[in-house]
Amino acid sequence: QVQLQQSGPGLVKPSQTLSLTCDISGDSVSRTSAAWSWIRQSPSRGLEWLGRTFYMSRWYNDYAPSVKGRITINSDTSRNQFSLQLNSVTPEDTAVYYCVRGDKRFVNTFDFWGRGTMVTVSS
Amino acid sequence: QSALTQPASVSGSPGQSITISCTGTNSDVGGYNLVSWYQQFPGKAPKLMIYESTKRPSGVSNRFSASRSGNTASLTISGLQAEDEADYYCCSYATIDISVFGTGTKVTVL
């Protein structure tokens, strides 16, 4: 059974960088048919896909236009994990953040979700 | 990329059928046969109910079905049960290689 274990701070100051990590068990971050996404949810913005990473001879990333330029998603094959960095955060970035496994062929199909990490942006 | 439009709430009595709509544009729902649907209970992560517009993952009840026509996708729950009371979200592939969610629909079983 696939499990996604999220970790990272729950409080980030405005203008700083939000960093979260997702440890994968039961699957491999480098499996070529999988893609690994970050999705967030807030009352004001609803569910919002932020981006994904996947491996296909080399690593690829796709990012949502709303956060492009501020977001980086990386993978670590030795630790079988992937991570999110979101720069220059504002209170608008306050949300529950989920790490999610998807199908590489279809960017909008997500079959396993982490439990979510509540991140608050506040001074 | 704007969120897909869903009704805020839909309700029905046990045993009835309800349909949730999800309206987008030619750049997402209307341009690709790639809509997924998710069920979410309070405090929990969403669960995949439908993928590739009409397919059900293993373990999802056949009371859940979906379709797509033009820029609108629909999720139908047949034989509504109390356990179906949850929030439902659509999600579409959008140009180019991005994913956009719907605004969400709260389903109430009367």
Side-chain angles (χ1 to χ4, degrees):
Chain A
Q1 179 76 342
V2 177
Q3 290 192 346
L4 303 175
Q5 183 66 43
Q6 302 178 216
S7 59
L11 180 63
V12 182
K13 288 182 166 49
S15 79
Q16 295 193 342
T17 296
L18 182 160
S19 296
L20 296 173
T21 299
C22 185
D23 291 312
I24 303 164
S25 57
D27 200 348
S28 169
V29 71
S30 56
R31 183 167 61 88
T32 54
S33 57
W36 305 93
S37 290
W38 288 95
I39 293 170
R40 68 183 178 184
Q41 185 173 28
S42 66
S44 60
R45 301 171 73 98
L47 279 168
E48 182 181 14
W49 175 81
L50 300 178
R52 66 173 182 166
T53 189
F54 60 91
Y55 183 75
M56 193 168 59
S57 301
R58 67 172 178 89
W59 288 98
Y60 290 83
N61 293 102
D62 294 308
Y63 296 131
S66 60
V67 292
K68 203 166 188 176
R70 292 200 295 136
I71 187 173
T72 302
I73 297 176
N74 284 321
S75 61
D76 185 334
T77 54
S78 64
R79 296 180 177 181
N80 203 29
Q81 64 181 203
F82 65 109
S83 62
L84 167 70
Q85 284 194 312
L86 188 64
N87 301 327
S88 305
V89 297
T90 71
E92 276 280 295
D93 295 309
T94 294
V96 175
Y97 286 76
Y98 294 99
C99 62
V100 187
R101 187 186 81 171
D103 187 325
K104 185 198 69 182
R105 299 169 299 166
F106 311 120
V107 67
N108 67 317
T109 300
F110 311 110
D111 59 353
F112 279 95
W113 296 62
R115 299 182 74 169
T117 299
M118 178 67 214
V119 179
T120 301
V121 178
S122 174
S123 54
Chain B
Q1 192 72 33
S2 299
L4 309 176
T5 301
Q6 298 180 233
S9 62
V10 173
S11 61
S13 299
Q16 286 187 330
S17 293
I18 62 168
T19 296
I20 302 167
S21 62
C22 169
T23 302
T25 68
N26 289 335
S27 296
D28 39 62
V29 177
Y32 310 91
N33 198 22
L34 290 174
V35 177
S36 53
W37 288 89
Y38 299 85
Q39 176 190 61
Q40 185 179 32
F41 295 107
K44 300 294 187 182
K47 173 189 174 184
L48 178 66
M49 303 299 283
I50 297 285
Y51 66 101
E52 291 180 54
S53 295
T54 60
K55 299 178 180 179
R56 277 189 312 275
S58 173
V60 172
S61 170
N62 60 8
R63 296 186 299 104
F64 291 85
S65 61
S67 61
R68 183 187 72 100
S69 178
N71 292 342
T72 298
S74 299
L75 175 71
T76 297
I77 308 175
S78 305
L80 195 63
Q81 298 180 2
E83 67 199 48
D84 301 329
E85 189 163 290
D87 294 328
Y88 293 83
Y89 295 88
C90 60
C91 183
S92 177
Y93 175 94
T95 311
I96 295 173
D97 284 339
I98 65 173
S99 186
V100 59
F101 280 94
T103 50
T105 299
K106 181 176 179 60
V107 168
T108 301
V109 181
L110 301 172

